[in-house]
Amino acid sequence: MSQWSHLAVGFSGLTVGNVVMFAVGAILIYLAVKKEYEPMLLLPIGFGAILVNIPFSAATGEHGILTLLYNTGIATELFPILIFVGVGAMIDFEPLLQQPMMLLFGAAAQFGVFATMVVAAMLGFDLKEAASIGIIGAADGPTSIYVATRFAPHFLGPISVAAYSYMSLVPIIQPPIIRLLTTRNERRIRMEYKHIRISKTVKILFPIVVTLVAGMLAPISVPLIGFLMFGNLLRECGVVDRLSKAAQNELASLVTLLLGITIGSTMGAEFFLKPETLMILGMGIVAFAFDTAGGVVLAKFMNLFLKHKINPMVGASGISAFPMSARVVESMGTNEDPTNHLIMQAAGANFAGQISSIIAGGMVLALIK
Amino acid sequence: MSEVTAESLRVMILGMEAIFVVALAFWALILLLRKAFPVGK
């Protein structure tokens, strides 16, 4: 009988919090499998949340595998940085190089990062915690993880879950805000799209020059922007196709898998089941809403002075969530006028958002000591 | 207003300014690169 009780030691240590976290893990897995909300991340995060909440689990603790993964991959910032190499190799910056003006929308759509930081500070979070919560508005998982690891590792779980969940919910979050801020006539504005051919030299030089400029302005952002642009250089140079494909596929997949389960392992009941978690999840939506508003309002402001008007919906694509945001704008545009296609302009703004979100992360790190 | 909120407002203003400056710099950079290295040269 005593041997049996030894085997069932997990049950004896089970708490209500653990059971709730099993349910949270199951919900994340359900969202990943049934709803296909960022399944590459939410599924491993959900399973990691279950693993870490099994009482006396050998996967956690000083020598547990999840602790090892956390210490080597998250605490050192290795996993998010490696993800950037893969993301960079996946991005074709051509739509942005054709329409560099879209960079302004990428910048405006970072408003959510900073506005949410102010809201979080007003709610009583300290500045570093507030900045980590605000960075959910970067709509860029690795950037959120990178900043949260430095500034508020105790909130890494909820911040990551919010960042990835809301990215997949962009088609639900953005349209009502865009409708609220625009008139039907504005949503029907047509934008001329001129196809400009970009030389291979420009495509190769772009990642190098951007790294140099961003690095000189904010050296702390070099790991973020540098590895993103390194991945992009692999893609564009045309002579290391094997490395580019490895970065896009094997590297990105393997690191995503490890990153997800390791983030899940930060979701122990004692850390996750706090009122702050709900506040962070709530502020994540606020961040995405402010992002959207920032881009739309800038486009409307620019229209006061421009001869060729901008469809303000394109401004909303300045967030980093690619390609969801560009698709939302294209879909809303064709709903208003089936012959009005905005996908190329929105894609340009979306790519600008990817660069700007990383710059925003770097600025947050540089400005807060 | 608490000290933290005031500091967060300062970071917001500086951060947004810096991001727009970088965006304008990248815009100019792209135009320069396109001009210096057109297709076919």
Side-chain angles (χ1 to χ4, degrees), chain A residues 221-286:
Chain A
S221 70
V222 169
L224 297 167
I225 197 87
F227 277 73
L228 180 90
M229 290 301 165
F230 171 58
N232 191 249
L233 182 61
L234 293 178
R235 175 198 178 95
E236 298 299 349
C237 70
V239 292
V240 287
D241 204 36
R242 221 174 69 192
L243 295 186
S244 171
K245 285 199 164 57
Q248 291 177 47
N249 300 305
E250 289 84 358
L251 179 70
S253 299
L254 184 62
V255 181
T256 301
L257 184 157
L258 295 174
L259 181 73
I261 202 160
T262 312
I263 287 190
S265 76
T266 65
M267 292 166 64
E270 66 276 27
F271 301 113
F272 198 83
L273 296 178
K274 290 179 173 176
E276 288 94 330
T277 299
L278 283 179
M279 291 166 81
I280 290 168
L281 294 177
M283 280 186 282
I285 293 190
V286 172

Side-chain angles (χ1 to χ4, degrees), chain A residues 97-98 100-101 103-104 107-108 114 117-118 121-122 125 127 197-199 201-202 205 209-210 217 360 363 367, chain B residues 4-5 7-12 14-16 18-20 22-24 26-27 29-31 33-34 37-39:
Chain A
L97 295 170
Q98 289 167 337
M101 186 186 75
L103 281 159
L104 295 180
F114 296 101
M117 178 184 67
V118 174
M122 289 166 77
F125 289 93
L127 192 58
R197 289 177 64 207
I198 303 294
S199 71
T201 312
V202 171
L205 286 175
V209 177
V210 163
L217 287 172
M363 290 303 163
L367 291 170
Chain B
V4 176
T5 307
E7 179 65 7
S8 68
L9 278 169
R10 186 190 72 84
V11 171
M12 180 170 93
L14 281 175
M16 286 306 291
I19 287 175
F20 273 104
V22 172
L24 289 170
F26 285 172
W27 183 356
L29 206 72
I30 290 171
L31 293 180
L33 285 173
R34 274 181 15 191
F37 303 100
V39 176

Side-chain angles (χ1 to χ4, degrees), chain A residues 140-173:
Chain A
D140 182 286
T143 303
S144 299
I145 293 166
Y146 190 85
V147 173
T149 303
R150 286 201 172 196
F151 279 176
H154 49 294
F155 288 146
L156 188 57
I159 286 171
S160 308
V161 168
Y164 282 108
S165 307
Y166 297 148
M167 264 193 283
S168 61
L169 292 177
V170 157
I172 296 168
I173 297 171

